[in-house]
Amino acid sequence: MKKLIFAIGLLMTVSATPIFAAEDGEKETINNVSVVPTAKGAAISVSLDEASDKIVKVNIYNAAGKKIYTDRVKGNKSFKRNYNFEKLTAGKYTVELISENGIVKEEINYAVAPRVKSVDANLQQRDKGIYSLTVSSANDVPAYISIYDNRNNLVHTEKMEMGGAFTKDYNLNRIHLSGLRFVVISGNDEVSLRL
């Protein structure tokens, strides 16, 4: 069985709240801090140019102010790291960077977009042993149709090119009809149908 991968959408807004302090009372800056969502979805990318030659500490806090993650980056003039938010709940988070040059905090509003199913299928019995399968898809990836008997034995499989939707009749008179199961896989979606 194919492993299904569910893409999780990610919506983030970032607002910088710099907090800087220097030993002599002068304001210093941490230059070129960037906290942005990654293309993969449930992750952020933290990058810092002109970092310290020593340790830069990255802390992530939840909305209640509880530290949920700490990372230490050693001896780099600049760095870029991805942090995965996939297992976190939606809400506000703060990313804090601490170096010898100061502290900067970035607030993140993390929200998981609802997953939209990209394939739908309908199965109807037209006559004894004749089944009509209709498949529609929001994308043009192929659909893989598998038919299983009542003992879960694969009795038919095929690949269908998608052009939005198709309907196909299957003559299954030679197969024991009780317990038939049709499985349609298209992209990351799977639909299992029984009559």
Side-chain angles (χ1 to χ4, degrees), residues 123-185:
L123 180 65
Q124 295 179 347
Q125 186 171 2
R126 297 249 184 245
D127 202 359
K128 183 171 175 133
I130 308 293
Y131 294 86
S132 182
L133 177 67
T134 301
V135 178
S136 60
S137 179
N139 54 42
D140 281 340
V141 298
Y144 297 89
I145 292 91
S146 301
I147 303 172
Y148 297 89
D149 67 11
N150 62 342
R151 293 185 180 149
N152 210 30
N153 296 314
L154 181 65
V155 296
H156 178 78
T157 186
E158 69 182 306
K159 174 182 172 183
M160 299 291 291
E161 295 299 325
M162 294 295 297
F166 71 85
T167 299
K168 183 172 180 179
D169 289 338
Y170 294 90
N171 185 343
L172 302 174
N173 278 320
R174 291 184 252 151
I175 301 169
H176 189 271
L177 297 178
S178 67
L180 282 177
R181 183 170 57 102
F182 285 68
V183 176
V184 178
I185 298 173

Side-chain angles (χ1 to χ4, degrees), residues 17 36 43 73 87 102-103 105 129 133-134 149 174-175 183 188:
T17 310
V36 296
V73 181
K87 294 183 180 177
I103 300 170
K105 293 183 179 183
L133 177 67
T134 301
D149 67 11
R174 291 184 252 151
I175 301 169
V183 176
N188 292 329

